[in-house]
Amino acid sequence: VDLEGVAMPGFVDAHIHLSSLGRDLRQIDLRGCRSIEEVKKRIREGLQSGRGVVGGWVYARGWDQELFEERRLLSRWDLDEAVRDLPAIAIRVCGHLATINSAALERLGTELLERFRNFVDLDERGEPTGVVREDAVGYIVERIIEAEGVEGVERDIEEAQRALLSSGVVGAGYMSVSPVELKAIAGLSARGLARLRMALYLDPETLKLLEALGLPSLRGVSIGCADIAGIKVFADGSLGARTAYLSMPYSDDPGNRGAQLLSVEDLVRWCAKARELGLDLAVHAIGDAAIDNVIRAVEETGFRLRIEHLSVVRDDQLQKLAELRLRGSIQPHFIVTDWWVVDRLGPERARWVYRFRDLVEAGIELGISTDAPVEPFNPFETVYAAIDRGESLGLDIARYTRDQGLDKATVLDLYTRGSANLCGLSDLGTLELGKRASFIVVDRDPLEADIEELKKIRVLETYVDGYREYP
Ligand SMILES: [Zn+2]
């Protein structure tokens, strides 16, 4: 091939949610809303322009009460003022909390309260406020996807794939793959429409279905260009929702240490399960106490799982993680979205947040990712965030962790080779003889570009396994 521009290995996003990204691209975007009024306005406008209805639900995402002038969570009564006739969900930017309207509560019926009592907020009269958390969010999103049907999920995945390929991503660690998502991937593959290389990390429900087949092992099972790579489980929640599990209380919520979603014993069982099935295990662990639980489970089992996020890491944990040869996926753009983190954790612990340089220097095997749609999927924005760490935006966190910025060469290496290895897609990630020709052509050399130029780099062409997939 005759290329104009600079060729480099394609990016591998080590932790991403393809169908929710596709849904995100079709939904109403609430990012950056400065008030509850603005949330209502954006929803009304989105619906008028024909966007935002997924599986018969109004689907919106990205609000953050920290940005609201009202400084409170969105309630069902707020949402009712924007949508009355259809069920509606507005998911917080972190994905761990959402608000649903009255029509949605009616649609879901008593099952929501019966099954998820602890995750449904009630007011002083015992009425649901519309705020739902953690498992309840997942449950509702599942119901919406069900209503969307497998064709809708296929459309979402295709949409996400198109967006990723056009921005230079050739491979992805697809997290928390549900049964309908697996079916959609199989459908797309059968029709030759799955073009992105994927490593699938199954949610426990999907795993149960596959286990029921009684295969001796799930290692090496592939569907088209998607490999079944591992299992994804959650050890805690998020810093945004104050559900990340901490060893000491939140600085802005004394008495709350967050939520432990899996105990050490649970994690030991998951390690055993993954080993038995020949699979990898990806454990979501953001708070230092959740990471402690993971460390203890790994000490017990010796299973080299991968930790997702590694957001709050104490000094004593760095060495442990390295000793146990744990692997991890990090999300540099979280730094920008979690701009309030110093308030949550206080100045002492702020130094432990997103300490990428320390993780690299400790020798921990890392991959880079966006967790899209939690963060923007554009790799160069992520590269920029890993280097800048919110400094140019004047974020507080930059002052505490200035020394944790990564250099360009390291970020690019972790985002290609590092992520590919982390996901078991080791034929991607470098340009060398014997590997698959999965590379991109960009309009300028990122290693030569100055930091402000980085964000503006354009992807001209994307090749996966030798085929041009973009444009
Ligand atoms: Zn995720």
Side-chain angles (χ1 to χ4, degrees), residues 30-94:
L30 299 177
R31 265 167 207 279
C33 276
R34 293 282 166 181
S35 67
I36 288 174
E37 280 314 308
E38 194 181 343
V39 167
K40 295 181 208 163
K41 187 163 154 267
R42 278 215 212 158
I43 292 177
R44 285 191 210 106
E45 285 172 357
L47 290 172
Q48 270 158 18
S49 71
R51 276 184 307 112
V53 179
V54 176
W57 283 63
V58 175
Y59 199 95
R61 182 172 181 144
W63 61 273
D64 180 353
Q65 79 279 8
E66 304 287 341
L67 296 176
F68 293 166
E69 58 187 41
E70 296 89 347
R71 286 262 162 182
R72 63 169 175 85
L73 297 173
L74 192 69
S75 77
R76 74 191 250 208
W77 301 285
D78 299 323
L79 206 48
D80 284 349
E81 285 176 32
V83 193
R84 265 182 215 289
D85 47 342
L86 286 176
I89 185 165
I91 302 173
R92 193 184 178 279
V93 65
C94 65

Side-chain angles (χ1 to χ4, degrees), residues 76-365:
R76 74 191 250 208
W77 301 285
D78 299 323
L79 206 48
D80 284 349
E81 285 176 32
V83 193
R84 265 182 215 289
D85 47 342
L86 286 176
I89 185 165
I91 302 173
R92 193 184 178 279
V93 65
C94 65
H96 291 261
L97 185 150
T99 302
I100 56 175
N101 70 351
S102 299
L105 275 165
E106 207 166 299
R107 170 80 59 98
L108 294 164
T110 51
E111 198 186 347
L112 179 71
L113 265 171
E114 279 161 13
R115 285 185 55 188
F116 301 98
R117 186 165 299 277
N118 297 334
F119 295 117
V120 178
D121 285 15
L122 304 176
D123 67 10
E124 57 285 352
R125 291 163 301 166
E127 286 281 313
T129 64
V131 172
V132 294
R133 298 166 193 266
E134 303 298 337
D135 293 11
V137 180
Y139 166 77
I140 298 165
V141 171
E142 275 303 309
R143 298 290 78 81
I144 296 172
I145 297 168
E146 245 172 51
E148 210 191 357
V150 70
E151 297 80 15
V153 177
E154 285 182 3
R155 205 159 54 229
D156 292 335
I157 294 174
E158 265 196 286
E159 186 86 32
Q161 179 177 255
R162 196 174 311 124
L164 290 170
L165 288 168
S166 69
S167 51
V169 178
V170 297
Y174 187 161
M175 287 293 148
S176 301
V177 176
S178 68
V180 66
E181 287 172 275
L182 191 65
K183 210 166 151 185
I185 292 164
L188 290 171
S189 296
R191 302 203 303 283
L193 297 174
R195 314 299 300 171
L196 187 75
R197 293 286 307 282
M198 299 178 223
L200 309 179
Y201 288 80
L202 310 175
D203 77 6
E205 203 184 327
T206 313
L207 183 73
K208 218 182 284 169
L209 290 172
L210 283 183
E211 266 192 287
L213 297 174
L215 303 177
S217 161
L218 292 173
R219 184 193 292 276
V221 176
S222 299
I223 299 170
C225 50
D227 306 338
I228 292 182
I231 311 166
K232 162 76 185 298
V233 294
F234 288 85
D236 68 346
S238 75
L239 290 168
R242 296 192 186 84
T243 49
Y245 186 40
L246 301 174
S247 56
M248 301 287 279
Y250 283 85
S251 298
D252 58 358
D253 187 8
N256 175 23
R257 286 176 49 207
Q260 170 184 280
L261 301 182
L262 292 174
S263 66
V264 177
E265 296 72 47
D266 295 331
L267 287 162
V268 166
R269 267 195 295 278
W270 278 116
C271 289
K273 169 80 69 192
R275 181 174 272 152
E276 173 195 325
L277 294 168
L279 292 177
D280 194 2
L281 180 64
V283 181
H284 166 117
I286 286 184
D288 64 324
I291 294 170
D292 276 337
N293 282 351
V294 174
I295 286 174
R296 260 178 260 141
V298 174
E299 279 172 336
E300 212 165 297
T301 60
F303 191 79
R304 280 188 72 218
L305 52 81
R306 52 181 275 188
I307 304 185
E308 305 308 300
H309 312 310
L310 280 167
S311 304
V312 186
V313 181
R314 297 189 312 268
D315 292 344
D316 62 293
Q317 290 178 321
L318 276 176
Q319 208 194 333
K320 268 270 169 258
L321 292 168
E323 263 171 37
L324 295 166
R325 296 174 63 233
L326 277 160
R327 305 135 65 223
S329 88
I330 54 171
Q331 296 70 32
H333 208 274
F334 277 9
I335 302 168
V336 179
T337 305
D338 296 1
W339 55 272
W340 33 254
V341 73
V342 181
D343 296 335
R344 286 277 191 284
L345 298 177
E348 198 63 37
R349 286 183 293 185
R351 293 180 303 102
W352 302 343
V353 177
Y354 307 126
R355 53 196 309 180
F356 303 151
R357 175 139 296 282
D358 287 342
L359 290 167
V360 168
E361 280 172 4
I364 294 152
E365 186 187 327

